[in-house]
């Protein structure tokens, strides 16, 4: 099997307390592989270590324990050259919560060009990359607009285009939909899914929206700096009580299945993370009931 794109073993990170303050251990004993092309969602309540994990992946923070390799670079030795760091950040892009903090230029296409231009991408390739990236997020017709006149979802899509123009293999979205309205969230999530499905981009999506996590290939749940559980959305959302215990709700359809079972209705399938799966199980259950009674 090919080497995983991300390989973490006993990964740890502690924020050093300054001025006599205590150290804050943010992550401890994280062992996790993420394969190229995977769509992984990361869940966990505030302070569970999600953003710290994201920042380790392109060396915004440096591991304080364990090992971490990303895109073939060993990030835990502390000896990455400046050139390798640039190569790493080109291959692993980050999109953060607030689109306003990520836009730097006064015209949309200049903003998208900013990253690749800094990497030294020459014309006419720069032009091509900007056009492609704007098309990929459905923002071509806004190329001459001023970013501050756009909606939140549109701004976030421009921020994503700026990352795409660097042709990354992996993009980490750290609550990139958290500040958006429902329409903006859908725009951004559709974009993320298409990049994963059609272009094979590895996606790490940190979110507290359960219905967004339900779309991932795999969910990793963090709690108190450690991995509490991981599995497919169906596997993870079946463990409703354990999630509840750490302050996480399951998607509404999974909650419905759970409550039906609690009420003694024998809904038996494993598929709890999609509306279609839940509906099918409930219908099967009633069909069986009908047969049993008739
Ligand atoms: P999440 O993204 O899941 O909310 P974080 O990774 O931001 O969690 O935080 C994990 C832990 O590290 C928390 O206890 C948080 O208070 C602490 N922390 C985060 N950033 C810093 C920082 N810059 N300095 C000190 N402690 C921090
Ligand atoms: Mg965070």
């Amino acid at each position: 099997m090919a080497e995983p794109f991300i390989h973490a073993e006993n990964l740890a990170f502690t924020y050093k307390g300054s001025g006599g303050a205590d150290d804050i251990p943010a992550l401890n004993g994280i062992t996790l592989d993420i394969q190229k092309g995977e769509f992984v969602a990361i869940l966990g309540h505030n302070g569970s270590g999600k953003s710290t994990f994201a920042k380790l992946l392109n060396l915004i923070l440096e591991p304080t324990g364990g090992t971490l390799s990303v895109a073939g670079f060993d990030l835990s030795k502390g000896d990455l050259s400046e050139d390798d760091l640039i190569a790493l950040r080109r291959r692993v892009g980050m999109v953060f919560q607030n689109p306003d903090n990520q836009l730097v230029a006064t015209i949309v296409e200049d903003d998208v060009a900013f990253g690749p231009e800094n990497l030294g991408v020459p014309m006419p390739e720069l032009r091509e990359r900007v056009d492609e990236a704007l098309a990929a997020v459905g923002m071509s017709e806004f190329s001459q607009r001023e970013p501050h006149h756009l909606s939140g979802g549109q701004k976030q899509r421009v921020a994503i285009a700026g990352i795409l123009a660097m042709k990354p293999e992996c993009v980490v979205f750290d609550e990139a939909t958290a500040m958006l309205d429902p329409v903006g969230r859908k725009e951004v999530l559709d974009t993320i899914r298409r990049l994963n499905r059609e272009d094979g981009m590895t996606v790490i999506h940190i979110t507290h929206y359960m219905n967004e996590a339900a779309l991932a290939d795999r969910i990793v749940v963090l709690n108190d700096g450690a991995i509490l559980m991981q599995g497919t959305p169906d596997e993870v959302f079946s463990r409703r009580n354990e999630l509840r215990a750490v302050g996480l709700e399951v998607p509404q359809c999974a909650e419905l299945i759970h409550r039906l079972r609690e009420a003694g209705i024998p809904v038996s399938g494993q598929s709890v993370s999609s509306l279609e799966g839940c509906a099918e199980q409930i219908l099967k259950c009633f069909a069986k009931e009908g047969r049993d009674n008739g």
Side-chain angles (χ1 to χ4, degrees), residues 139-193:
M139 289 293 287
S140 300
E141 63 201 276
F142 294 85
S143 66
Q144 301 302 320
R145 298 284 187 88
E146 296 173 34
H148 67 268
H149 286 152
L150 302 178
S151 72
Q154 290 169 334
K155 283 184 201 168
Q156 198 61 305
R157 280 148 73 201
V158 172
I160 295 171
I163 300 293
L164 295 183
M166 295 196 273
K167 296 198 180 276
E169 289 157 72
C170 171
V171 180
V172 182
F173 297 90
D174 188 356
E175 305 212 24
T177 57
M179 294 181 72
L180 307 180
D181 61 21
V183 175
R185 280 179 50 206
K186 185 172 177 340
E187 289 170 3
V188 169
L189 206 75
D190 287 348
T191 304
I192 295 175
R193 288 180 83 190

Side-chain angles (χ1 to χ4, degrees), residues 13-271:
F13 182 83
T14 297
Y15 289 96
K16 285 275 163 260
S18 54
D22 287 345
D23 289 353
I24 299 172
L27 287 176
N28 205 0
I30 301 288
T31 296
L32 181 68
D33 281 351
I34 294 175
Q35 308 295 333
K36 212 168 161 34
E38 252 196 298
F39 180 169
V40 176
I42 301 187
L43 295 175
H45 63 68
N46 284 342
S48 58
K50 305 180 298 296
S51 293
T52 302
F53 180 68
K55 288 173 184 161
L56 289 168
L57 297 178
N58 72 357
L59 217 53
I60 295 171
L61 298 174
E62 201 173 297
T64 56
T67 58
L68 175 65
S69 79
V70 179
F73 297 106
D74 186 341
L75 307 189
S76 36
K77 286 213 191 86
D79 63 354
L80 212 65
S81 69
E82 194 62 25
D83 283 353
D84 282 351
L85 182 62
I86 291 169
L88 170 73
R89 292 194 176 157
R90 194 185 63 69
R91 294 175 68 178
V92 182
M94 300 260 164
V95 180
F96 296 100
Q97 196 174 93
N98 189 342
D100 291 321
N101 296 342
Q102 298 173 80
L103 302 179
V104 289
T106 50
I107 298 290
V108 164
E109 66 173 18
D110 293 348
D111 199 279
V112 177
F114 183 80
E117 209 167 6
N118 275 341
L119 292 174
V121 174
M123 283 293 205
E125 194 192 336
L126 183 62
R127 174 84 262 158
E128 271 167 37
R129 285 197 186 197
V130 169
D131 291 346
E132 264 180 40
L134 281 171
V137 299
M139 289 293 287
S140 300
E141 63 201 276
F142 294 85
S143 66
Q144 301 302 320
R145 298 284 187 88
E146 296 173 34
H148 67 268
H149 286 152
L150 302 178
S151 72
Q154 290 169 334
K155 283 184 201 168
Q156 198 61 305
R157 280 148 73 201
V158 172
I160 295 171
I163 300 293
L164 295 183
M166 295 196 273
K167 296 198 180 276
E169 289 157 72
C170 171
V171 180
V172 182
F173 297 90
D174 188 356
E175 305 212 24
T177 57
M179 294 181 72
L180 307 180
D181 61 21
V183 175
R185 280 179 50 206
K186 185 172 177 340
E187 289 170 3
V188 169
L189 206 75
D190 287 348
T191 304
I192 295 175
R193 288 180 83 190
R194 193 159 25 83
L195 292 168
N196 174 254
R197 299 270 162 84
E198 292 174 17
D199 304 337
M201 196 154 75
T202 309
V203 168
I204 299 176
H205 184 48
I206 298 172
T207 182
H208 53 243
Y209 292 108
M210 297 298 158
N211 55 349
E212 293 185 3
L215 301 171
D217 297 320
R218 179 156 58 117
I219 296 177
V220 175
V221 182
L222 292 184
N223 185 50
D224 211 3
I227 296 176
L228 177 73
M229 64 173 91
Q230 59 173 311
T232 63
D234 283 340
E235 286 164 356
V236 165
F237 291 138
S238 295
R239 298 166 71 174
R240 180 260 199 191
N241 290 346
E242 287 164 82
L243 290 168
R244 266 249 158 139
V246 297
L248 298 174
E249 299 287 336
V250 296
Q252 281 184 332
C253 52
E255 181 67 24
L256 175 64
I257 295 281
H258 180 87
R259 293 208 191 165
L260 289 172
R261 283 178 188 156
E262 268 186 344
I265 297 169
V267 191
S268 58
Q270 294 306 308
S271 155

